[in-house]
Amino acid sequence: MIPLGTKAGPVASPFSPEQQKRFDEGFEEAVAKYPPERRRAALLPALHLAQDALGWLPEAAMAYVGHLLDIPPVRVREVATFYTMYRLHPVGRQHIGVCNSVSCWAMGSEKIIEHCASRLGIRPGETTRDGQFSLEEVACLASCGTAPAALVNNFTYVESVTPQSLDQLIEKLRKEPGQPMATERKP
Amino acid sequence: MTGPKILTVDWDKPESWSLSTYKASGGYTALPKALKMQPQAIVDEVVKSNLRGRGGAGFPTGMKWNFVRKETSFPKYLVVNADEGEPGTFKDREILLKSPHMFVEGLIIGCFAIDCHLTYVYCRGEFRDSAMKRLQQAIDEATKAGFIGKNILGSKFDLEVHAVFGAGAYICGEETALLESLEGRKGYPRLKPPFPANAGGGLFKQPTAVNNVETLANLPPIVNLGGDEFSKIGLVPKNGGTRLFAVSGHVKKPGVFEAPMGISFKALLDEYCGGMRDGSTLKAIIPGGSSSAIMTAAEADWASDFDTLKAKKTMAGSGAVVYLDQSVNMAHALANVMRFYAHESCGQCTPCREGSLWMKKITDRMLLGGGVVQDPDTLKTVADNIAGRTICAFGEACAWPTQSFVEKFKDEFNQRSQKPVPPAMPPEYTPGELIDHEKITTAPLPRNPGWEETARAGTI
């Protein structure tokens, strides 16, 4: 039996050296925002950083972040599964989220989602076979005046979407590399 | 456009977000004035101004700050709620994008008033690359200009401002869930009391004022105009100042409009938004974000202030007004709203977790043509049993739309629930019978898997 209070051993980093450098910089910055005795509060930004590097949050990344901040793995998992922006599975290099809340819905977001799905050949929640696109329905994006709204890769707003503008967007995104390593699993 | 412009003065100017634009229109003149006042005097002005929290509850800001000031535990914190997630609301994003300096100045004054030296602005995660970037720019500019940092403008007042961001959870707009999230945990709302303003209830268990972005943006005008003058801008008593209405839906010109508190919904529609779009007639109004009880077209002359709407059993909420036209089927609309709440319920309290999903299932069934005669009543019963039985206001937020939709648009719900009530389910065992297990006849397995023989032989 493992006695209470046993510390887990060091956890291997899931990042490549280059990713590690960027992660470390961001991590320092995030931790510096909180009082030293409250550094555990930096869990959310740290998970964001890990996801920025890997495209999603594999178990190894959660364990690593938990180790850095001295948070038990179960608490890290609790946070990672609670918030919708954290990806627990690999998604496409270009992840499109279309808002389905009331203002966007009234302005025809259902049609936009349908159009996007048929254009990409996937349903919401799925990823295309080549790993370039994934589609999701998301909750209100605070962009109701320019409804329907969409969100690319969690942070880029696309507003006043029409089927035509969506087609153009998809063509544009097809040529761009998008999120790093989003679909490549590390062995 | 009519009415006074206080918050939106700069919005139409090029580069309205820069420090130079803000300074040109009289920005950062309130701050030196405020720093020369006694902190309590600022709070007294805010009390006089009748400024009500713009996040949704409409709690008097001055009163909240007085609670924090009374506490003797230090440090005290001011946390800004920029986790704008209520469907229909997009005013805070516009403030952060178009005049972040006005908000930053208000934030500094607010911190000085409650004696806070470390403040966090909690933005929703999706804002990271847009609104939050601009806010960070503004914070950096203000720091460079000496408005943030050590010994601000020679007043011996120090302040550290940090912008942080969440990760996509509607519930983190609830103030205690926001604090939980800020502390690095999942956003479960806390049981109150202690309230955030009291010791033990706030950020890191310290007294904390949680304020909305728009609320704080009102601080510079209050200091400049004086509380009494500011209060007079509102059209009704006890509701000071102007309000940013985030109008969306089937109107000609959706967007954020600044109008005096207490303007009627009809005036807002006709004078600011250019009326309904062509070929549309008004059918329903969502007056304060999807959590508020819906209004019919006949009720459009109601005033939009906190007290009037509370008396009419709905709420002014976050100032998100959605005008819906005749093309909208209300059962369909409720199904959409319920899908949102079922998805966003944090899962802490059973009535809300189960109830929101239950209401979603019923409205979905109505859409698919399987609604049974009892469904409108069931919806109401479920909603009645959520409201007031949860830790946070999310329970009310998902109960109020259901109750009001079903009550005010009865016909549309009845039309979609015409299937006869299905026959009663076959009798199930009561818990008593389950305990007294001898009464329950065990059904023989269809095929003997051979476990008993294997056990007897002791080998597999």
Side-chain angles (χ1 to χ4, degrees):
Chain A
M1 205 179 122
I2 305 167
L4 273 181
T6 306
K7 291 263 160 61
V11 177
S13 159
F15 307 119
S16 70
E18 196 189 314
Q19 290 169 345
Q20 185 73 46
K21 201 170 145 251
R22 243 176 304 152
F23 177 86
D24 286 344
E25 280 167 16
F27 185 73
E28 291 292 311
E29 202 183 305
V31 171
K33 287 185 177 177
Y34 301 94
E37 70 278 14
R38 303 287 184 184
R39 63 198 294 272
R40 285 179 178 193
L43 177 57
L44 268 79
L47 286 175
H48 267 299
L49 286 167
Q51 180 163 290
D52 286 347
L54 302 172
W56 65 296
L57 283 180
E59 209 65 47
M62 287 188 224
Y64 179 67
V65 169
H67 165 66
L68 286 183
L69 291 169
D70 196 17
I71 300 173
V74 64
R75 296 271 170 255
V76 181
R77 221 189 138 69
E78 203 175 67
V79 168
T81 51
F82 185 83
Y83 296 95
T84 52
M85 282 171 81
Y86 296 132
R87 313 256 163 257
L88 301 174
H89 303 282
V91 291
R93 288 182 203 94
Q94 303 286 6
H95 185 76
I96 303 177
V98 185
C99 174
N100 65 6
S101 291
V102 66
S103 298
C104 286
W105 169 80
M107 300 306 283
S109 72
E110 274 177 349
K111 269 185 208 146
I112 297 292
I113 292 165
E114 217 170 87
H115 181 85
C116 194
S118 68
R119 194 69 209 233
L120 297 173
I122 49 174
R123 279 172 302 185
E126 292 178 345
T127 307
T128 53
R129 194 165 284 190
D130 62 358
Q132 183 69 6
F133 287 102
S134 50
L135 177 64
E136 192 190 9
E137 290 185 36
V138 294
C140 189
L141 296 173
S143 178
C144 319
T146 43
L151 193 67
V152 179
N153 292 341
N154 268 352
F155 299 113
T156 313
Y157 276 82
V158 187
E159 293 168 296
S160 305
V161 183
T162 60
Q164 290 78 30
S165 75
L166 190 69
D167 287 346
Q168 286 167 4
L169 177 76
I170 289 173
E171 284 316 308
K172 194 178 118 231
L173 293 179
R174 205 182 285 284
K175 291 173 200 133
E176 287 174 9
Q179 301 179 76
M181 290 182 62
T183 54
E184 289 141 58
R185 273 173 193 273
K186 284 203 120 189
Chain B
M1 298 276 271
T2 52
K5 273 187 166 188
I6 293 176
L7 300 173
T8 54
V9 193
D10 289 339
W11 284 23
D12 300 328
K13 294 179 188 164
E15 297 221 346
S16 62
W17 55 85
S18 67
L19 180 60
S20 51
T21 315
Y22 184 53
K23 271 193 155 173
S25 59
Y28 288 106
T29 52
L31 182 61
K33 232 187 256 178
L35 291 174
K36 286 196 189 88
M37 291 162 78
Q38 287 297 317
Q40 186 60 51
I42 300 176
V43 179
D44 290 342
E45 282 302 311
V46 176
V47 171
K48 266 194 260 171
S49 74
N50 283 320
L51 177 66
R52 308 274 292 257
R54 302 290 200 247
F59 193 82
T61 308
M63 199 193 282
K64 193 186 266 183
W65 286 2
N66 266 329
F67 290 149
V68 178
R69 281 196 63 82
K70 267 182 211 142
E71 291 290 327
T72 49
S73 171
F74 284 88
K76 292 173 183 175
Y77 295 106
L78 193 147
V79 172
V80 184
N81 187 342
D83 188 83
E84 189 169 47
E86 177 77 24
T89 318
F90 52 105
K91 65 187 173 64
D92 294 343
R93 179 163 166 258
E94 297 282 294
I95 293 177
L96 294 179
L97 284 175
K98 289 182 177 161
S99 59
H101 275 290
M102 190 165 216
F103 158 65
V104 171
E105 188 181 3
L107 175 61
I108 303 168
I109 297 171
C111 288
F112 179 67
I114 63 163
D115 202 2
C116 149
H117 300 279
L118 174 59
T119 178
Y120 293 97
V121 184
Y122 183 98
C123 301
R124 64 179 291 178
E126 287 86 345
F127 285 177
R128 190 189 75 174
D129 288 356
S130 48
M132 192 179 139
K133 217 176 198 174
R134 205 157 274 176
L135 170 68
Q136 192 61 52
Q137 254 175 28
I139 293 174
D140 293 344
E141 275 183 323
T143 311
K144 227 172 160 188
F147 300 131
I148 298 173
K150 300 257 177 239
N151 193 12
I152 297 167
L153 305 177
S155 63
K156 300 207 175 96
F157 174 66
D158 303 339
L159 179 65
E160 218 178 296
V161 181
H162 292 301
V164 296
F165 58 104
Y170 168 73
I171 194 66
C172 289
E174 202 274 344
E175 55 179 4
T176 54
L178 187 145
L179 295 176
E180 282 286 307
S181 179
L182 195 52
E183 290 178 17
R185 288 192 288 272
K186 62 181 171 180
Y188 268 11
R190 296 175 184 164
L191 195 59
K192 287 147 274 194
F195 291 94
N198 304 127
L203 182 65
F204 306 134
K205 300 217 162 122
Q206 293 298 323
T208 304
V210 184
N211 287 116
N212 179 259
V213 172
E214 191 192 339
T215 314
L216 289 169
N218 276 305
L219 260 287
I222 289 177
V223 171
N224 274 335
L225 294 174
D228 290 326
E229 201 59 35
F230 184 87
S231 179
K232 278 181 208 151
I233 300 170
L235 299 178
V236 281
K238 294 274 166 212
N239 286 268
T242 58
R243 170 147 224 206
L244 295 180
F245 289 95
V247 182
S248 58
H250 303 128
V251 297
K252 267 202 187 118
K253 212 173 68 176
V256 177
F257 302 101
E258 184 171 14
M261 285 288 272
I263 189 174
S264 78
F265 288 99
K266 199 166 164 32
L268 182 68
L269 175 62
D270 294 336
E271 289 166 29
Y272 290 84
C273 320
M276 298 297 283
R277 67 179 182 189
D278 294 331
S280 281
T281 48
L282 182 63
K283 178 172 179 181
I285 305 169
I286 299 177
S290 69
S291 311
S292 53
I294 199 158
M295 292 158 51
T296 59
E299 295 160 349
D301 52 350
W302 288 0
S304 63
D305 63 287
F306 289 106
D307 302 319
T308 312
L309 289 180
K310 198 173 173 196
K312 307 268 192 197
K313 293 207 172 92
T314 176
M315 66 168 184
S318 56
V321 189
V322 188
Y323 291 97
L324 298 171
D325 73 0
Q326 78 287 350
S327 67
V328 174
N329 180 289
M330 298 322 280
H332 200 161
L334 184 66
N336 179 280
V337 173
M338 282 308 124
R339 183 168 56 174
F340 175 82
Y341 287 107
H343 179 255
E344 295 294 342
S345 173
C346 78
Q348 187 172 203
C349 317
T350 310
C352 162
R353 178 186 65 232
E354 303 299 324
S356 58
L357 190 66
W358 192 357
M359 294 194 292
K360 172 187 175 279
K361 282 179 177 169
I362 295 177
T363 47
D364 276 355
R365 177 163 77 190
M366 284 184 180
L367 285 196
L368 296 171
V372 300
V373 183
Q374 281 173 344
D375 275 352
D377 291 336
T378 315
L379 274 177
K380 278 200 80 173
T381 321
V382 175
D384 292 345
N385 280 298
I386 300 173
R389 288 171 171 83
T390 53
I391 288 175
C392 78
F394 190 105
E396 281 79 14
C398 68
W400 284 341
T402 310
Q403 291 164 338
S404 60
F405 270 69
V406 175
E407 193 180 312
K408 291 184 179 173
F409 297 93
K410 226 176 232 156
D411 295 348
E412 287 180 43
F413 283 89
N414 287 340
Q415 217 174 22
R416 281 178 180 263
S417 33
Q418 291 181 337
K419 288 261 164 97
V421 181
M425 296 286 278
E428 286 178 19
Y429 295 112
T430 62
E433 283 167 341
L434 281 170
I435 294 164
D436 193 7
H437 58 84
E438 273 173 36
K439 282 185 190 164
I440 299 172
T441 51
T442 43
L445 288 168
R447 173 179 74 81
N448 181 7
W451 294 330
E452 281 170 17
E453 289 80 354
T454 317
R456 235 175 276 131
T459 53
I460 292 178

